[in-house]
Amino acid sequence: MLASISNNIWVILIGINYLLVILTAFIVLTKNLNPTKTISYIIVLVFFPFFGLIVYYLFGQEYRKNKIFNRKNILNQKIITDISERLKPDKQEIRDLKEDLLDDKIKLVKLLHSSQNAPLTINNDVRIIKNGENKFKLLLADLKNAKKHIHMEYYILRDDKIGMQVIDILCDKAKEGVKVRLSIDDVGSSISRKNKKKMVESGVEWRPFMPVLFPGFTGKMNYRNHRKIVIIDGQIGYIGGINVSDTYVNYDDTAIFWRDTHLRIIGESVKSLQIHFLMTWEFVSGEKIEMEEDFFPKDDCNECAAMQIAASGPDTDWSNIMEVIFTAIVTSEKYVYLTTPYFIPNEQIITALQVASKSGVDVRLLIPKESDSWTAKHATNSYIECLLEADIKVYRYCKGFIHAKTIVIDDVFSTVGTTNMDYRSFNINFEINAIIYNKEKSLELKSHFFEDLDESEAIDKERWLKRPRIEKLKESYCRLWAPLL
């Protein structure tokens, strides 16, 4: 019996594989996915034994429907309900904002509120920060002045020069009695055992997000927490594209100039950031955290930058950030200026940009000339031709690497956050963006965009179409892997 099994082991395994393939194919069919995606999965399952099942297991699951973690305990607590009600502007404020600024952009407010219960907040003081060295001057000072709590959530935190400055302050504040909670992504971050022990002994509560056994070999084949937020005493918030690593700081001896954008927020929207952090913390800590009044102190902000905090990931019912970007583009009237380090969009975003441009809207895209990923660079390049055909202006940043993730539209709408214009940010990673409805801040981001264009080259359509065939082949190959990048 055992000898017979041993002699036919591969036949048996192949048989088991295809029994699982039939079951999986039936599941794929009943999900009523996009027909192209359905056919692609079935082809991979049938023609790539074993490997096809692994690919589907890693990338084919509808985690948004399955809910990796449950948000109900946090969202159902009375204090959160009261905060949400308190943050809602009254009808007159909405009416004034609509008449003065929003016009049909009110659709965006309603979209986010209905799909995610993201309240529109009116009273916010927003500071736009260019580049890591400027962010950390402000952040380190704010951390040192913390009195009650520090909440941090980062995709990348490394114990290099700037990372150790942050870690040392966190340890010092924890020893002083400040409650310090830190969540870091287990794949993106890298901290030595020595410094992890240091944090624990100092009283810093830190937790890895979805830990893996071999993070160095795992790469991006996981659902990662790509967010970068800080909340200090419930009064000051940070959100944007800048992680905690020397890579993001332009020191005098920096090899590659790093261009990025971040926000420092004081006001009502900090409460929204706080809620999102607490939901993550409950997940990574496994504890049922009870809300404290100190998490949501009263603020006296008199500035009036209207904002919403949009979060998306496998824990949300809809692709909230992608949907608001799509709606902002299709309702644009004058211009759309978009900066992203990775442009590997879905069909909806491509169509929205093309339709806007063909309708007379000035659509411009700024991407890096040199990327930190060979595959992502060529996948991005594969989309440029269809943009140029629609008269969209495409620029490549030449001064260094541009990592900013910003959009500004019609002098009234802008967004800064962690979301790249790619499949992973739209559907797989946990992301968070600040949506700003403010003319002054939109004009400031618009001026930053044109300053960056001074350091960029415009792609000429005729020359681009004549690029070598080998480049086109690289692009086509890398585009196949677009949903996984």
Side-chain angles (χ1 to χ4, degrees), residues 392-405:
I392 295 171
K393 301 178 182 69
V394 183
Y395 302 84
R396 295 192 294 188
Y397 189 76
C398 302
K399 185 177 179 179
F401 182 68
I402 192 160
H403 188 255
K405 310 149 197 310

Side-chain angles (χ1 to χ4, degrees), residues 107-124:
K107 296 176 183 177
L108 302 173
V109 175
K110 294 178 179 178
L111 171 66
L112 274 177
H113 188 78
S114 63
S115 64
Q116 196 204 12
N117 192 29
L120 174 70
T121 61
I122 304 296
N123 298 316
N124 297 288

Side-chain angles (χ1 to χ4, degrees), residues 210-276:
M210 292 182 67
V212 294
L213 289 176
F214 305 104
F217 296 96
T218 305
K220 295 182 179 178
M221 295 173 65
N222 293 281
Y223 289 72
R224 307 315 317 168
N225 186 0
H226 196 241
R227 298 172 184 173
K228 308 149 184 68
I229 60 175
V230 180
I231 303 97
I232 301 168
D233 292 340
Q235 296 179 322
I236 300 172
Y238 285 83
I239 181 174
I242 302 172
N243 286 292
V244 182
S245 168
D246 287 347
T247 302
Y248 298 79
V249 182
N250 295 306
Y251 296 115
D252 292 337
D253 59 349
T254 297
I256 299 175
F257 181 81
W258 196 277
R259 170 70 183 91
D260 220 323
T261 300
H262 219 80
L263 297 180
R264 180 181 185 269
I265 305 169
I266 295 175
E268 296 172 331
S269 277
V270 177
K271 294 177 174 59
S272 295
L273 283 177
Q274 185 79 286
I275 292 171
H276 286 294

Side-chain angles (χ1 to χ4, degrees), residues 36-97:
T36 302
K37 184 182 289 187
T38 299
I39 293 171
S40 298
Y41 277 130
I42 291 176
I43 288 174
V44 170
L45 287 166
V46 171
F47 290 100
F48 296 92
F50 309 115
F51 177 73
L53 289 170
I54 294 172
V55 168
Y56 180 75
Y57 175 77
L58 289 173
F59 306 111
Q61 306 298 306
E62 289 291 326
Y63 285 106
R64 176 163 282 116
K65 293 182 179 179
N66 296 340
K67 297 293 192 305
I68 285 182
F69 65 83
N70 193 332
R71 302 173 293 155
K72 290 183 179 178
N73 180 62
I74 291 289
L75 295 179
N76 287 347
Q77 292 194 39
K78 185 177 184 299
I79 190 170
I80 300 299
T81 303
D82 292 344
I83 289 293
S84 297
E85 286 299 317
R86 194 191 314 164
L87 289 178
K88 290 180 181 177
D90 59 38
K91 293 181 179 179
Q92 185 59 47
E93 286 179 312
I94 289 287
R95 192 178 300 114
D96 292 344
L97 192 65

Side-chain angles (χ1 to χ4, degrees), residues 11 184 192 196 222 237 279 320 351 372 397 400 403 412 417 444:
V11 175
I184 56 173
S192 68
K196 289 177 180 177
N222 293 281
M279 288 191 291
N320 299 313
T351 301
D372 60 347
Y397 189 76
H403 188 255
V412 297
E444 185 175 351

Side-chain angles (χ1 to χ4, degrees), residues 225-362:
N225 186 0
H226 196 241
R227 298 172 184 173
K228 308 149 184 68
I229 60 175
V230 180
I231 303 97
I232 301 168
D233 292 340
Q235 296 179 322
I236 300 172
Y238 285 83
I239 181 174
I242 302 172
N243 286 292
V244 182
S245 168
D246 287 347
T247 302
Y248 298 79
V249 182
N250 295 306
Y251 296 115
D252 292 337
D253 59 349
T254 297
I256 299 175
F257 181 81
W258 196 277
R259 170 70 183 91
D260 220 323
T261 300
H262 219 80
L263 297 180
R264 180 181 185 269
I265 305 169
I266 295 175
E268 296 172 331
S269 277
V270 177
K271 294 177 174 59
S272 295
L273 283 177
Q274 185 79 286
I275 292 171
H276 286 294
F277 172 84
L278 293 171
M279 288 191 291
T280 298
W281 185 255
E282 183 171 279
F283 172 62
V284 298
S285 67
E287 304 166 358
K288 296 298 181 184
I289 189 167
E290 294 299 324
M291 298 300 100
E292 301 175 12
E293 291 291 341
D294 285 345
F295 290 165
F296 306 99
K298 293 182 179 179
D299 59 78
D300 300 317
C301 179
N302 295 317
E303 299 296 321
C304 296
M307 293 179 62
Q308 287 176 290
I309 300 298
S312 67
D315 62 322
T316 58
D317 296 317
W318 304 95
S319 301
N320 299 313
I321 297 175
M322 189 279 289
E323 289 177 355
V324 77
I325 291 173
F326 171 85
T327 305
I329 293 170
V330 298
T331 57
S332 62
E333 296 178 354
K334 298 177 182 177
Y335 70 84
V336 175
Y337 298 154
L338 193 158
T339 302
T340 182
Y342 313 107
F343 186 77
I344 311 171
N346 54 24
E347 292 182 8
Q348 295 97 309
I349 296 297
I350 284 286
T351 301
L353 291 170
Q354 290 173 327
V355 169
S357 180
K358 290 191 289 184
S359 300
V361 175
D362 179 17

Side-chain angles (χ1 to χ4, degrees), residues 410-430:
D410 294 349
D411 292 350
V412 297
F413 169 94
S414 55
T415 178
V416 176
T418 68
T419 308
N420 296 311
M421 296 292 288
D422 61 14
Y423 286 85
R424 178 164 291 277
S425 281
F426 289 158
N427 298 305
I428 300 176
N429 285 342
F430 293 78

